Amino acid sequence: MNRNDIDVKLFRYNPFDLKTVQLLTEEYPEFRVSFGEANTKQRFICYLILLYDLNTPLRIRYPDYILRKIECAKLAEFKKGSNGNFLPEFLEVMEGSNEKFNNAVVAYIKSFGSPDYMALTMYLNIFASEYNNSLKVSDSKILKDTVANIRTLQAQIAELTAIIFGGKEVFDLRTAIYKRIERDRPRVRPEDIAEVIDVPQKLKDNLGDYYEKDIEPLKFIGCK
């Protein structure tokens, strides 16, 4: 997908219009803070709208939430280094570790006046975090808790999606989320972790270009 494929009229604000930065800055205090250079702020806001707008068409085009984040980053022209990885300041936004950006996200989501949509967004972000954690945990007890969290989030996401959107789209999104969890579950079950302990590249490949970081070989607790 490229920018020309997107109907910007679906969004509350045009994600690609430079005037959007000024409009949001005037409307919400959370957007008045500095996000670095002017063009960096514009990229951040573009990404925010593409990913979090209630009517974003990318939710349907990319029902897989992690993939949707990556595609939004590409459309927002997030910068990458010579190694092909997203630069740290952009990766922080994608990972949810930029506090200023998170505050702007909350303000934008609240503007739609839907507590259910706020909750859904929160669950999706936690789901992405738990998914990433499950691929790096070596403690079987922690892993079991993480998988349990994923299953709980799975139910919450399905329920809230049905409440907010309804129709066939709900089935498509729910099916995609379940399919992703079912596809990855064999890699995160305690009894299967041994298969990838000596091959950390398998975990790195599974993370894709969202979490583009080196992964240390896994060890069970007690291993030397």
Side-chain angles (χ1 to χ4, degrees), residues 181-211:
I181 292 175
E182 291 297 334
R183 188 191 74 193
D184 292 322
R185 186 168 291 155
R187 294 178 181 152
V188 300
R189 289 183 305 178
E191 60 266 36
D192 290 332
I193 285 295
E195 295 182 7
V196 293
I197 287 178
D198 296 323
V199 191
Q201 185 62 37
K202 286 186 179 180
L203 298 182
K204 187 173 182 179
D205 292 343
N206 197 29
L207 289 174
D209 59 354
Y210 177 49
Y211 292 100

Side-chain angles (χ1 to χ4, degrees), residues 46 48 51 78 119 132 136 159 169 189 196:
C46 178
L48 186 157
L51 183 61
F78 275 20
N132 181 51
K136 296 186 286 187
E159 179 181 353
E169 180 186 332
R189 289 183 305 178
V196 293

